[in-house]
Structures are given as structure tokens and as C-alpha cells.
PDB file of all heavy atoms in Angstrom:
ATOM      1  N   ALA A1322       1.146   0.215  15.277  1.00  0.00           N
ATOM      2  CA  ALA A1322       1.437  -1.020  16.086  1.00  0.00           C
ATOM      3  C   ALA A1322       1.325  -0.767  17.534  1.00  0.00           C
ATOM      4  O   ALA A1322       1.350  -1.743  18.379  1.00  0.00           O
ATOM      5  CB  ALA A1322       2.915  -1.407  15.727  1.00  0.00           C
ATOM      6  N   GLU A1323       1.214   0.497  18.020  1.00  0.00           N
ATOM      7  CA  GLU A1323       1.121   0.830  19.403  1.00  0.00           C
ATOM      8  C   GLU A1323      -0.396   0.597  19.819  1.00  0.00           C
ATOM      9  O   GLU A1323      -1.349   0.693  19.031  1.00  0.00           O
ATOM     10  CB  GLU A1323       1.408   2.288  19.636  1.00  0.00           C
ATOM     11  CG  GLU A1323       2.913   2.655  19.290  1.00  0.00           C
ATOM     12  CD  GLU A1323       3.878   2.059  20.266  1.00  0.00           C
ATOM     13  OE1 GLU A1323       3.391   1.628  21.379  1.00  0.00           O
ATOM     14  OE2 GLU A1323       5.035   1.913  19.943  1.00  0.00           O
ATOM     15  N   GLU A1324      -0.539   0.265  21.017  1.00  0.00           N
ATOM     16  CA  GLU A1324      -1.964  -0.035  21.576  1.00  0.00           C
ATOM     17  C   GLU A1324      -2.656   1.217  21.659  1.00  0.00           C
ATOM     18  O   GLU A1324      -3.908   1.248  21.256  1.00  0.00           O
ATOM     19  CB  GLU A1324      -1.834  -0.785  22.897  1.00  0.00           C
ATOM     20  CG  GLU A1324      -3.208  -1.203  23.349  1.00  0.00           C
ATOM     21  CD  GLU A1324      -3.093  -2.011  24.653  1.00  0.00           C
ATOM     22  OE1 GLU A1324      -1.980  -2.448  25.056  1.00  0.00           O
ATOM     23  OE2 GLU A1324      -4.162  -2.196  25.319  1.00  0.00           O
ATOM     24  N   ILE A1325      -2.142   2.275  22.273  1.00  0.00           N
ATOM     25  CA  ILE A1325      -2.909   3.488  22.426  1.00  0.00           C
ATOM     26  C   ILE A1325      -2.010   4.683  21.944  1.00  0.00           C
ATOM     27  O   ILE A1325      -0.917   4.835  22.472  1.00  0.00           O
ATOM     28  CB  ILE A1325      -3.285   3.648  23.933  1.00  0.00           C
ATOM     29  CG1 ILE A1325      -4.317   2.585  24.273  1.00  0.00           C
ATOM     30  CG2 ILE A1325      -3.993   5.087  24.068  1.00  0.00           C
ATOM     31  CD1 ILE A1325      -4.868   2.671  25.708  1.00  0.00           C
ATOM     32  N   GLN A1326      -2.599   5.528  21.077  1.00  0.00           N
ATOM     33  CA  GLN A1326      -1.864   6.718  20.644  1.00  0.00           C
ATOM     34  C   GLN A1326      -2.506   7.943  21.288  1.00  0.00           C
ATOM     35  O   GLN A1326      -3.751   8.084  21.259  1.00  0.00           O
ATOM     36  CB  GLN A1326      -1.957   6.816  19.099  1.00  0.00           C
ATOM     37  CG  GLN A1326      -1.157   5.808  18.359  1.00  0.00           C
ATOM     38  CD  GLN A1326       0.366   6.059  18.505  1.00  0.00           C
ATOM     39  OE1 GLN A1326       0.796   7.166  18.561  1.00  0.00           O
ATOM     40  NE2 GLN A1326       1.071   4.963  18.623  1.00  0.00           N
ATOM     41  N   LEU A1327      -1.726   8.760  21.884  1.00  0.00           N
ATOM     42  CA  LEU A1327      -2.163   9.911  22.643  1.00  0.00           C
ATOM     43  C   LEU A1327      -1.664  11.188  22.123  1.00  0.00           C
ATOM     44  O   LEU A1327      -0.370  11.315  21.864  1.00  0.00           O
ATOM     45  CB  LEU A1327      -1.751   9.693  24.116  1.00  0.00           C
ATOM     46  CG  LEU A1327      -1.895  10.903  25.038  1.00  0.00           C
ATOM     47  CD1 LEU A1327      -3.375  11.094  25.370  1.00  0.00           C
ATOM     48  CD2 LEU A1327      -1.111  10.635  26.397  1.00  0.00           C
ATOM     49  N   VAL A1328      -2.487  12.141  22.063  1.00  0.00           N
ATOM     50  CA  VAL A1328      -2.085  13.466  21.584  1.00  0.00           C
ATOM     51  C   VAL A1328      -2.535  14.427  22.732  1.00  0.00           C
ATOM     52  O   VAL A1328      -3.628  14.486  23.104  1.00  0.00           O
ATOM     53  CB  VAL A1328      -2.601  13.966  20.222  1.00  0.00           C
ATOM     54  CG1 VAL A1328      -2.482  15.443  20.015  1.00  0.00           C
ATOM     55  CG2 VAL A1328      -2.037  13.158  19.123  1.00  0.00           C
ATOM     56  N   THR A1329      -1.564  15.271  23.167  1.00  0.00           N
ATOM     57  CA  THR A1329      -1.840  16.337  24.237  1.00  0.00           C
ATOM     58  C   THR A1329      -1.480  17.696  23.645  1.00  0.00           C
ATOM     59  O   THR A1329      -0.638  17.734  22.705  1.00  0.00           O
ATOM     60  CB  THR A1329      -1.137  16.068  25.503  1.00  0.00           C
ATOM     61  OG1 THR A1329       0.328  16.097  25.281  1.00  0.00           O
ATOM     62  CG2 THR A1329      -1.605  14.777  26.193  1.00  0.00           C
ATOM     63  N   THR A1330      -2.059  18.727  24.185  1.00  0.00           N
ATOM     64  CA  THR A1330      -1.666  20.062  23.695  1.00  0.00           C
ATOM     65  C   THR A1330      -1.971  21.058  24.810  1.00  0.00           C
ATOM     66  O   THR A1330      -2.721  20.763  25.723  1.00  0.00           O
ATOM     67  CB  THR A1330      -2.637  20.430  22.488  1.00  0.00           C
ATOM     68  OG1 THR A1330      -2.094  21.786  22.004  1.00  0.00           O
ATOM     69  CG2 THR A1330      -4.127  20.568  22.861  1.00  0.00           C
ATOM     70  N   ASP A1331      -1.281  22.157  24.766  1.00  0.00           N
ATOM     71  CA  ASP A1331      -1.467  23.248  25.762  1.00  0.00           C
ATOM     72  C   ASP A1331      -2.728  24.094  25.372  1.00  0.00           C
ATOM     73  O   ASP A1331      -3.345  24.746  26.187  1.00  0.00           O
ATOM     74  CB  ASP A1331      -0.314  24.087  25.900  1.00  0.00           C
ATOM     75  CG  ASP A1331       0.894  23.307  26.371  1.00  0.00           C
ATOM     76  OD1 ASP A1331       0.760  22.481  27.291  1.00  0.00           O
ATOM     77  OD2 ASP A1331       1.988  23.602  25.949  1.00  0.00           O
ATOM     78  N   TYR A1332      -3.027  24.124  24.043  1.00  0.00           N
ATOM     79  CA  TYR A1332      -4.051  25.036  23.584  1.00  0.00           C
ATOM     80  C   TYR A1332      -4.677  24.532  22.274  1.00  0.00           C
ATOM     81  O   TYR A1332      -3.985  24.021  21.358  1.00  0.00           O
ATOM     82  CB  TYR A1332      -3.478  26.426  23.395  1.00  0.00           C
ATOM     83  CG  TYR A1332      -4.545  27.463  23.008  1.00  0.00           C
ATOM     84  CD1 TYR A1332      -5.514  27.847  23.929  1.00  0.00           C
ATOM     85  CD2 TYR A1332      -4.575  28.016  21.714  1.00  0.00           C
ATOM     86  CE1 TYR A1332      -6.456  28.682  23.551  1.00  0.00           C
ATOM     87  CE2 TYR A1332      -5.573  28.973  21.375  1.00  0.00           C
ATOM     88  CZ  TYR A1332      -6.503  29.293  22.279  1.00  0.00           C
ATOM     89  OH  TYR A1332      -7.460  30.308  22.001  1.00  0.00           O
ATOM     90  N   GLN A1333      -5.955  24.677  22.221  1.00  0.00           N
ATOM     91  CA  GLN A1333      -6.713  24.283  20.958  1.00  0.00           C
ATOM     92  C   GLN A1333      -7.298  25.500  20.341  1.00  0.00           C
ATOM     93  O   GLN A1333      -8.068  26.239  21.075  1.00  0.00           O
ATOM     94  CB  GLN A1333      -7.846  23.244  21.269  1.00  0.00           C
ATOM     95  CG  GLN A1333      -7.358  21.883  21.569  1.00  0.00           C
ATOM     96  CD  GLN A1333      -8.540  20.925  21.811  1.00  0.00           C
ATOM     97  OE1 GLN A1333      -8.479  19.743  21.448  1.00  0.00           O
ATOM     98  NE2 GLN A1333      -9.670  21.359  22.338  1.00  0.00           N
ATOM     99  N   THR A1334      -7.001  25.794  19.099  1.00  0.00           N
ATOM    100  CA  THR A1334      -7.488  27.039  18.469  1.00  0.00           C
ATOM    101  C   THR A1334      -8.972  26.848  18.070  1.00  0.00           C
ATOM    102  O   THR A1334      -9.707  27.872  17.945  1.00  0.00           O
ATOM    103  CB  THR A1334      -6.647  27.333  17.224  1.00  0.00           C
ATOM    104  OG1 THR A1334      -6.711  26.321  16.284  1.00  0.00           O
ATOM    105  CG2 THR A1334      -5.205  27.702  17.663  1.00  0.00           C
ATOM    106  N   HIS A1335      -9.401  25.655  17.817  1.00  0.00           N
ATOM    107  CA  HIS A1335     -10.785  25.439  17.449  1.00  0.00           C
ATOM    108  C   HIS A1335     -11.440  24.199  18.287  1.00  0.00           C
ATOM    109  O   HIS A1335     -12.015  23.384  17.767  1.00  0.00           O
ATOM    110  CB  HIS A1335     -10.906  25.051  15.937  1.00  0.00           C
ATOM    111  CG  HIS A1335     -10.574  26.155  15.048  1.00  0.00           C
ATOM    112  ND1 HIS A1335      -9.196  26.450  14.756  1.00  0.00           N
ATOM    113  CD2 HIS A1335     -11.311  27.102  14.440  1.00  0.00           C
ATOM    114  CE1 HIS A1335      -9.174  27.594  13.942  1.00  0.00           C
ATOM    115  NE2 HIS A1335     -10.494  27.961  13.764  1.00  0.00           N
ATOM    116  N   GLY A1336     -11.269  24.355  19.589  1.00  0.00           N
ATOM    117  CA  GLY A1336     -11.758  23.400  20.529  1.00  0.00           C
ATOM    118  C   GLY A1336     -13.298  23.432  20.443  1.00  0.00           C
ATOM    119  O   GLY A1336     -13.921  24.478  20.432  1.00  0.00           O
ATOM    120  N   HIS A1337     -13.964  22.256  20.438  1.00  0.00           N
ATOM    121  CA  HIS A1337     -15.358  22.111  20.398  1.00  0.00           C
ATOM    122  C   HIS A1337     -15.812  20.908  21.111  1.00  0.00           C
ATOM    123  O   HIS A1337     -15.086  19.965  21.487  1.00  0.00           O
ATOM    124  CB  HIS A1337     -15.865  22.090  18.952  1.00  0.00           C
ATOM    125  CG  HIS A1337     -15.373  20.923  18.116  1.00  0.00           C
ATOM    126  ND1 HIS A1337     -16.022  19.709  18.254  1.00  0.00           N
ATOM    127  CD2 HIS A1337     -14.371  20.716  17.389  1.00  0.00           C
ATOM    128  CE1 HIS A1337     -15.368  18.768  17.430  1.00  0.00           C
ATOM    129  NE2 HIS A1337     -14.359  19.410  16.923  1.00  0.00           N
ATOM    130  N   GLY A1338     -17.150  20.848  21.455  1.00  0.00           N
ATOM    131  CA  GLY A1338     -17.666  19.776  22.173  1.00  0.00           C
ATOM    132  C   GLY A1338     -18.684  19.049  21.198  1.00  0.00           C
ATOM    133  O   GLY A1338     -18.552  19.035  19.992  1.00  0.00           O
ATOM    134  N   GLN A1339     -19.753  18.421  21.845  1.00  0.00           N
ATOM    135  CA  GLN A1339     -20.723  17.635  20.968  1.00  0.00           C
ATOM    136  C   GLN A1339     -21.476  18.643  20.086  1.00  0.00           C
ATOM    137  O   GLN A1339     -21.842  19.706  20.467  1.00  0.00           O
ATOM    138  CB  GLN A1339     -21.705  16.996  21.971  1.00  0.00           C
ATOM    139  CG  GLN A1339     -21.107  15.893  22.877  1.00  0.00           C
ATOM    140  CD  GLN A1339     -20.881  14.562  22.174  1.00  0.00           C
ATOM    141  OE1 GLN A1339     -21.051  14.543  20.954  1.00  0.00           O
ATOM    142  NE2 GLN A1339     -20.430  13.643  22.840  1.00  0.00           N
ATOM    143  N   VAL A1340     -21.686  18.151  18.881  1.00  0.00           N
ATOM    144  CA  VAL A1340     -22.448  18.890  17.919  1.00  0.00           C
ATOM    145  C   VAL A1340     -22.044  20.339  17.710  1.00  0.00           C
ATOM    146  O   VAL A1340     -22.712  21.299  17.732  1.00  0.00           O
ATOM    147  CB  VAL A1340     -23.987  18.815  18.283  1.00  0.00           C
ATOM    148  CG1 VAL A1340     -24.787  19.254  17.068  1.00  0.00           C
ATOM    149  CG2 VAL A1340     -24.396  17.381  18.707  1.00  0.00           C
ATOM    150  N   ASN A1341     -20.662  20.500  17.654  1.00  0.00           N
ATOM    151  CA  ASN A1341     -20.021  21.763  17.318  1.00  0.00           C
ATOM    152  C   ASN A1341     -20.206  22.841  18.477  1.00  0.00           C
ATOM    153  O   ASN A1341     -20.076  24.019  18.168  1.00  0.00           O
ATOM    154  CB  ASN A1341     -20.499  22.275  16.020  1.00  0.00           C
ATOM    155  CG  ASN A1341     -20.078  21.422  14.854  1.00  0.00           C
ATOM    156  OD1 ASN A1341     -18.986  20.799  14.918  1.00  0.00           O
ATOM    157  ND2 ASN A1341     -20.932  21.228  13.912  1.00  0.00           N
ATOM    158  N   THR A1342     -20.578  22.382  19.625  1.00  0.00           N
ATOM    159  CA  THR A1342     -20.563  23.387  20.720  1.00  0.00           C
ATOM    160  C   THR A1342     -19.111  23.755  21.029  1.00  0.00           C
ATOM    161  O   THR A1342     -18.210  22.992  20.930  1.00  0.00           O
ATOM    162  CB  THR A1342     -21.255  22.826  22.009  1.00  0.00           C
ATOM    163  OG1 THR A1342     -20.604  21.562  22.321  1.00  0.00           O
ATOM    164  CG2 THR A1342     -22.721  22.601  21.728  1.00  0.00           C
ATOM    165  N   VAL A1343     -18.888  24.991  21.486  1.00  0.00           N
ATOM    166  CA  VAL A1343     -17.554  25.574  21.730  1.00  0.00           C
ATOM    167  C   VAL A1343     -17.091  25.092  23.127  1.00  0.00           C
ATOM    168  O   VAL A1343     -17.803  25.078  24.150  1.00  0.00           O
ATOM    169  CB  VAL A1343     -17.496  27.079  21.692  1.00  0.00           C
ATOM    170  CG1 VAL A1343     -16.190  27.638  22.081  1.00  0.00           C
ATOM    171  CG2 VAL A1343     -18.002  27.537  20.342  1.00  0.00           C
ATOM    172  N   TRP A1344     -15.821  24.679  23.203  1.00  0.00           N
ATOM    173  CA  TRP A1344     -15.146  24.238  24.360  1.00  0.00           C
ATOM    174  C   TRP A1344     -14.083  25.299  24.748  1.00  0.00           C
ATOM    175  O   TRP A1344     -13.094  25.483  24.057  1.00  0.00           O
ATOM    176  CB  TRP A1344     -14.530  22.849  24.279  1.00  0.00           C
ATOM    177  CG  TRP A1344     -13.833  22.466  25.557  1.00  0.00           C
ATOM    178  CD1 TRP A1344     -12.494  22.585  25.928  1.00  0.00           C
ATOM    179  CD2 TRP A1344     -14.525  21.994  26.678  1.00  0.00           C
ATOM    180  NE1 TRP A1344     -12.381  22.068  27.186  1.00  0.00           N
ATOM    181  CE2 TRP A1344     -13.509  21.727  27.757  1.00  0.00           C
ATOM    182  CE3 TRP A1344     -15.839  21.655  27.029  1.00  0.00           C
ATOM    183  CZ2 TRP A1344     -13.759  21.220  29.010  1.00  0.00           C
ATOM    184  CZ3 TRP A1344     -16.155  21.122  28.261  1.00  0.00           C
ATOM    185  CH2 TRP A1344     -15.083  20.953  29.227  1.00  0.00           C
ATOM    186  N   GLU A1345     -14.408  26.033  25.798  1.00  0.00           N
ATOM    187  CA  GLU A1345     -13.462  27.078  26.195  1.00  0.00           C
ATOM    188  C   GLU A1345     -12.387  26.579  27.069  1.00  0.00           C
ATOM    189  O   GLU A1345     -12.659  25.813  28.001  1.00  0.00           O
ATOM    190  CB  GLU A1345     -14.194  28.261  27.015  1.00  0.00           C
ATOM    191  CG  GLU A1345     -13.345  29.367  27.532  1.00  0.00           C
ATOM    192  CD  GLU A1345     -14.011  30.205  28.516  1.00  0.00           C
ATOM    193  OE1 GLU A1345     -15.296  30.162  28.681  1.00  0.00           O
ATOM    194  OE2 GLU A1345     -13.368  31.133  29.128  1.00  0.00           O
ATOM    195  N   SER A1346     -11.161  27.023  26.798  1.00  0.00           N
ATOM    196  CA  SER A1346     -10.054  26.552  27.627  1.00  0.00           C
ATOM    197  C   SER A1346      -8.828  27.540  27.492  1.00  0.00           C
ATOM    198  O   SER A1346      -8.396  27.829  26.393  1.00  0.00           O
ATOM    199  CB  SER A1346      -9.495  25.156  27.188  1.00  0.00           C
ATOM    200  OG  SER A1346      -8.452  24.748  28.029  1.00  0.00           O
ATOM    201  N   ALA A1347      -8.516  28.093  28.657  1.00  0.00           N
ATOM    202  CA  ALA A1347      -7.357  29.038  28.611  1.00  0.00           C
ATOM    203  C   ALA A1347      -6.051  28.351  28.292  1.00  0.00           C
ATOM    204  O   ALA A1347      -5.842  27.176  28.696  1.00  0.00           O
ATOM    205  CB  ALA A1347      -7.228  29.709  30.019  1.00  0.00           C
ATOM    206  N   ARG A1348      -5.158  29.038  27.650  1.00  0.00           N
ATOM    207  CA  ARG A1348      -3.827  28.424  27.248  1.00  0.00           C
ATOM    208  C   ARG A1348      -3.040  27.916  28.432  1.00  0.00           C
ATOM    209  O   ARG A1348      -2.744  28.560  29.357  1.00  0.00           O
ATOM    210  CB  ARG A1348      -3.056  29.501  26.456  1.00  0.00           C
ATOM    211  CG  ARG A1348      -1.813  28.922  25.820  1.00  0.00           C
ATOM    212  CD  ARG A1348      -1.072  30.020  25.078  1.00  0.00           C
ATOM    213  NE  ARG A1348      -1.837  30.638  24.079  1.00  0.00           N
ATOM    214  CZ  ARG A1348      -1.875  30.082  22.808  1.00  0.00           C
ATOM    215  NH1 ARG A1348      -1.158  29.053  22.457  1.00  0.00           N
ATOM    216  NH2 ARG A1348      -2.612  30.722  21.868  1.00  0.00           N
ATOM    217  N   GLY A1349      -2.754  26.675  28.367  1.00  0.00           N
ATOM    218  CA  GLY A1349      -1.733  26.043  29.268  1.00  0.00           C
ATOM    219  C   GLY A1349      -2.304  25.769  30.684  1.00  0.00           C
ATOM    220  O   GLY A1349      -1.582  25.381  31.596  1.00  0.00           O
ATOM    221  N   GLU A1350      -3.658  25.895  30.781  1.00  0.00           N
ATOM    222  CA  GLU A1350      -4.259  25.780  32.243  1.00  0.00           C
ATOM    223  C   GLU A1350      -5.019  24.512  32.436  1.00  0.00           C
ATOM    224  O   GLU A1350      -5.201  24.089  33.501  1.00  0.00           O
ATOM    225  CB  GLU A1350      -5.120  27.014  32.565  1.00  0.00           C
ATOM    226  CG  GLU A1350      -4.350  28.284  32.632  1.00  0.00           C
ATOM    227  CD  GLU A1350      -5.155  29.432  33.079  1.00  0.00           C
ATOM    228  OE1 GLU A1350      -6.378  29.266  33.263  1.00  0.00           O
ATOM    229  OE2 GLU A1350      -4.577  30.549  33.177  1.00  0.00           O
ATOM    230  N   ASN A1351      -5.559  23.846  31.337  1.00  0.00           N
ATOM    231  CA  ASN A1351      -6.363  22.667  31.497  1.00  0.00           C
ATOM    232  C   ASN A1351      -5.733  21.473  30.803  1.00  0.00           C
ATOM    233  O   ASN A1351      -4.690  21.602  30.250  1.00  0.00           O
ATOM    234  CB  ASN A1351      -7.727  23.005  30.875  1.00  0.00           C
ATOM    235  CG  ASN A1351      -8.361  24.161  31.633  1.00  0.00           C
ATOM    236  OD1 ASN A1351      -8.309  24.253  32.884  1.00  0.00           O
ATOM    237  ND2 ASN A1351      -9.003  25.063  30.863  1.00  0.00           N
ATOM    238  N   LEU A1352      -6.418  20.404  30.832  1.00  0.00           N
ATOM    239  CA  LEU A1352      -5.893  19.157  30.267  1.00  0.00           C
ATOM    240  C   LEU A1352      -6.721  18.890  29.007  1.00  0.00           C
ATOM    241  O   LEU A1352      -7.955  18.548  29.131  1.00  0.00           O
ATOM    242  CB  LEU A1352      -6.070  18.012  31.261  1.00  0.00           C
ATOM    243  CG  LEU A1352      -5.393  16.661  30.872  1.00  0.00           C
ATOM    244  CD1 LEU A1352      -3.895  16.834  30.474  1.00  0.00           C
ATOM    245  CD2 LEU A1352      -5.528  15.691  32.045  1.00  0.00           C
ATOM    246  N   LEU A1353      -6.079  18.965  27.829  1.00  0.00           N
ATOM    247  CA  LEU A1353      -6.693  18.674  26.537  1.00  0.00           C
ATOM    248  C   LEU A1353      -6.027  17.626  25.852  1.00  0.00           C
ATOM    249  O   LEU A1353      -4.843  17.704  25.513  1.00  0.00           O
ATOM    250  CB  LEU A1353      -6.672  20.000  25.712  1.00  0.00           C
ATOM    251  CG  LEU A1353      -7.087  21.289  26.346  1.00  0.00           C
ATOM    252  CD1 LEU A1353      -6.823  22.484  25.477  1.00  0.00           C
ATOM    253  CD2 LEU A1353      -8.611  21.228  26.653  1.00  0.00           C
ATOM    254  N   PHE A1354      -6.717  16.439  25.555  1.00  0.00           N
ATOM    255  CA  PHE A1354      -5.992  15.307  24.940  1.00  0.00           C
ATOM    256  C   PHE A1354      -7.036  14.480  24.170  1.00  0.00           C
ATOM    257  O   PHE A1354      -8.218  14.541  24.424  1.00  0.00           O
ATOM    258  CB  PHE A1354      -5.326  14.482  26.011  1.00  0.00           C
ATOM    259  CG  PHE A1354      -6.237  13.899  27.064  1.00  0.00           C
ATOM    260  CD1 PHE A1354      -6.496  12.483  27.028  1.00  0.00           C
ATOM    261  CD2 PHE A1354      -6.534  14.546  28.131  1.00  0.00           C
ATOM    262  CE1 PHE A1354      -7.267  11.887  28.004  1.00  0.00           C
ATOM    263  CE2 PHE A1354      -7.425  13.976  29.117  1.00  0.00           C
ATOM    264  CZ  PHE A1354      -7.713  12.698  29.024  1.00  0.00           C
TER     265      PHE A1354
END
């Protein structure tokens, strides 16, 4: 029923970009959502 659902995290264990490219991000330093 909410208009926008948002999930944020300090760290992604399997972060990826387009077509399974890896997205590197140090723990707690960037904005991942």
C-alpha cells in the first residue's frame, strides 16, 4: 500500500551491475539502495 518501498544496506555480499558485472563497495562507506 506504500507508494515507494526502499531498502538500504551498509554492505552487499554479492553486489553486481549490468549483465552480472561486479560492483565493488567497501563496507559502510558508500550508498547502496
Side-chain angles (χ1 to χ4, degrees):
E1323 298 288 342
E1324 185 176 347
I1325 295 181
Q1326 289 294 321
L1327 170 69
V1328 168
T1329 58
T1330 188
D1331 296 320
Y1332 184 68
Q1333 290 184 146
T1334 58
H1335 293 84
H1337 62 85
Q1339 296 280 5
V1340 195
N1341 295 322
T1342 54
V1343 175
W1344 180 262
E1345 175 191 355
S1346 181
R1348 186 181 298 272
E1350 294 185 359
N1351 300 319
L1352 188 55
L1353 308 172
F1354 63 102

